[in-house]
Amino acid sequence: MKEKRELLSLDKEELEALLLSLGEPRYRAGQIFSQLHRGLSPAEMTNIGNKTRERLAEVVDFHLPQVCRKLVSAIDGTVKYLFTLADGNAVESVLMHYEHGTTICISSQVGCAMGCKFCASTIGGRVRNLTAGELVGQVIAAARDSGERIGGIVMMGIGEPLDNFDNVVKFLRLVNHPEGLNIGYRHISLSTCGLVDKIDELAALSLPITLSISLHAADDETRSAIMPINRRYNVAALLAACRRYYAVTGRRISFEYTLIAGKNDSAAAAKNLALVLNRALRTRSDTMPIHVNLIPVNEVAETGFRRASAQAISRFAAVLEENGIRATVRRRLGSDINASCGQLRRAAQGEGEMQ
Ligand code: SAH
């Protein structure tokens, strides 16, 4: 028997081709596509006849991620979902409320292969990539559960999005589709630990999304010690890729910098960070706007890393500003619900609730 395809992973053209092959008219694909992305299952589509539904069910599977756990922050209303996937694996997504609307943070893989020393998501390694349908499914399931319109997406949950390149790119096109969720590329951010070859591939596609670089240290010795990827692509190679990305897309890049007590939070480290960024990205011909997000590290029991002190954090920000680098300290949404990536999945694993 031919393996069934996953309905949510199909783009509009693939759905059209499939429906035509089933003897259905082309416009049926548009009807199904838009309703799927509004959160309806095929069974709930009242304008699709039973015969069509049955024919479709013979060739495709439909699974929306299921809410396994849901935590709502009493402080700021941030909602954290633990979603179960069709094969029993689980990933996390977080709904965040800003003045300009609701943004969702989604996961890109089950687990992660990158091995960053401070991160909970990578502790059990990478289990598998998420499909395009599971990526868009997180957005659809959260919108359906919350009844909210989601206007922005950040790919900062579990996993390294550029390590799941093809599915992530398909996902970006799916959520941007005017007959689907219609989320503008400018309202989508993708965060990476620095896969240089993939940053170049992404630049070549010229999608005007925002790229976020998880830098966390500006000298190779410190960065290699906390982020193994730095041994493959060092700081200079990464910043050169950032320059190329900016040259091609014209999109500003933001840098994430997690402050860990005693590791990367000294005034000297701040000064060096400013120097390295200015040198690499602000040559005479290039005046790339640079923004650094400072994130006090979330303490994960297994890593033993401690948060930088409030004093060290404000000193770090001040030194960056003095040296011409705009910096903000990230507001910690959902601090009472373990909203940082990977922590809820690990907690549920510990309690034997999921695989
Ligand atoms: N793999 C991608 C996206 C996922 S992580 C990346 O590396 O960018 C999203 C952000 O959270 C990254 O900047 C990551 O370095 C950071 N992060 C991971 N664990 C953290 C922790 N314990 N405390 C603070 N930030 C953390």
Side-chain angles (χ1 to χ4, degrees):
M1 209 181 79
K2 241 179 98 185
E3 210 181 298
K4 288 188 187 181
R5 297 170 79 186
E6 196 190 341
L7 187 53
L8 275 175
S9 283
L10 302 180
D11 60 28
K12 171 105 183 290
E13 291 69 33
E14 289 170 329
L15 195 55
E16 270 175 10
L18 186 75
L19 283 156
L20 288 173
S21 76
L22 298 176
E24 294 284 336
R26 184 185 297 273
Y27 71 85
R28 192 82 74 217
Q31 289 179 322
I32 294 176
F33 186 84
S34 64
Q35 293 182 94
L36 263 184
H37 290 251
R38 283 205 336 261
L40 298 186
S41 67
E44 293 164 327
M45 298 176 190
T46 49
N47 58 352
I48 307 294
N50 276 341
K51 271 268 157 308
T52 308
R53 247 193 292 253
E54 281 163 21
R55 274 188 214 125
L56 198 60
E58 279 168 21
V59 290
V60 298
D61 272 326
F62 172 76
H63 295 287
L64 207 54
Q66 298 294 306
V67 179
C68 165
R69 278 204 200 177
K70 178 180 174 181
L71 303 176
V72 183
S73 165
I75 302 173
D76 52 41
T78 297
V79 183
K80 176 142 199 169
Y81 290 102
L82 185 70
F83 283 123
T84 314
L85 307 171
D87 66 354
N89 276 303
V91 291
E92 298 172 23
S93 316
V94 182
L95 271 188
M96 298 167 292
H97 303 101
Y98 296 103
E99 263 162 41
H100 56 265
T102 301
T103 288
I104 188 168
C105 172
I106 66 158
S107 296
S108 54
Q109 298 176 313
V110 180
C112 183
M114 296 297 125
C116 298
K117 296 284 188 278
F118 43 83
C119 181
S121 303
T122 196
I123 292 171
R126 177 186 50 205
V127 178
R128 67 172 175 86
N129 282 333
L130 295 188
T131 63
E134 290 168 332
L135 295 168
V136 71
Q138 294 171 68
V139 187
I140 295 170
R144 184 179 160 126
D145 179 80
S146 65
E148 291 176 50
R149 145 128 185 102
I150 296 174
I153 300 175
V154 296
M155 304 201 79
M156 289 194 182
I158 297 170
E160 167 51 49
L162 296 186
D163 187 35
N164 182 15
F165 191 85
D166 293 345
N167 292 342
V168 164
V169 168
K170 189 169 193 192
F171 158 77
L172 295 173
R173 298 202 155 113
L174 277 175
V175 292
N176 179 249
H177 198 287
E179 292 168 53
L181 288 159
N182 196 19
I183 297 176
Y185 287 127
R186 283 161 204 281
H187 302 290
I188 302 177
S189 296
L190 184 152
S191 181
T192 177
C193 64
L195 300 179
V196 164
D197 53 340
K198 298 293 173 186
I199 293 174
D200 284 332
E201 272 186 56
L202 189 66
L205 298 175
S206 235
L207 306 171
I209 60 167
T210 301
L211 189 63
S212 265
I213 301 290
S214 297
L215 193 59
H216 306 322
D219 68 281
D220 283 322
E221 195 187 332
T222 309
R223 195 165 191 270
S224 293
I226 55 176
M227 302 180 73
I229 189 68
N230 198 67
R231 296 193 199 115
R232 183 143 43 115
Y233 301 111
N234 66 15
V235 173
L238 177 55
L239 295 179
C242 290
R243 240 170 86 180
R244 293 192 293 273
Y245 187 87
Y246 179 68
V248 172
T249 66
R251 298 286 295 157
R252 140 182 115 82
I253 295 178
S254 63
F255 293 92
E256 312 289 309
Y257 195 102
T258 294
L259 286 158
I260 308 169
K263 291 261 179 228
N264 64 356
D265 64 338
S266 67
K271 186 141 196 180
N272 183 51
L273 171 62
L275 185 78
V276 168
L277 289 177
N278 281 324
R279 264 204 202 136
L281 305 175
R282 288 176 170 160
T283 57
R284 244 169 304 156
S285 58
D286 241 332
T287 48
M288 177 169 151
I290 303 174
H291 187 97
V292 175
N293 266 317
L294 297 172
I295 314 161
V297 76
N298 285 299
E299 297 181 357
V300 175
E302 291 89 336
T303 68
F305 288 162
R306 285 183 305 106
R307 292 167 67 97
S309 67
Q311 196 192 359
I313 296 170
S314 51
R315 181 185 60 192
F316 201 96
V319 172
L320 288 182
E321 297 279 350
E322 277 161 28
N323 288 278
I325 303 284
R326 279 183 45 212
T328 44
V329 179
R330 163 98 41 99
R331 202 156 57 97
R332 291 182 69 229
L333 291 174
S335 53
D336 55 333
I337 55 167
N338 242 355
S340 327
C341 55
Q343 298 188 20
L344 187 59
R345 174 168 171 263
R346 284 206 47 81
Q349 274 173 330
E351 290 153 26
E353 236 179 84
M354 45 162 281
Q355 290 176 9

